[in-house]
Amino acid sequence: IQTNDYKNAEVSLTKAIEIDDFIGDAYYYRGICKLTEGEYESALTDLKIAVERTKENTGLTVNIASVVSFVNT
């Protein structure tokens, strides 16, 4: 993501999720990649899953909720 190569980042994050689908951060960052690519519905799905997987991380949950709110408007 740091190199703005969102498509390859999305592929890598998808592989990480296939290995362990409880990695909330992977869903979050994949959702951000999808947002950047204009895939809003799919991004929203990933971000919602990220919220479920990261409930113990209040800061991340607040950030995700802000993005979800923005996408829904």
Side-chain angles (χ1 to χ4, degrees):
I1 293 176
Q2 291 178 347
T3 62
N4 295 328
D5 187 0
Y6 296 102
K7 198 57 171 168
N8 282 329
E10 182 182 337
V11 170
S12 295
L13 291 162
T14 298
K15 288 179 184 177
I17 291 167
E18 288 171 356
I19 293 168
D20 183 354
D21 69 344
F22 283 93
I23 304 173
D25 287 350
Y27 283 100
Y28 173 76
Y29 288 113
R30 188 174 74 173
I32 297 301
C33 290
K34 290 178 178 182
L35 275 176
T36 304
E37 297 170 346
E39 300 173 20
Y40 301 114
E41 289 298 318
S42 185
L44 186 57
T45 298
D46 277 356
L47 294 170
K48 287 179 178 179
I49 293 170
V51 168
E52 294 171 6
R53 303 282 199 269
T54 59
K55 287 182 181 177
E56 70 285 346
N57 186 335
T58 307
L60 182 58
T61 302
V62 169
N63 288 339
I64 293 168
S66 297
V67 173
V68 170
S69 175
F70 175 77
V71 170
N72 281 330
T73 58

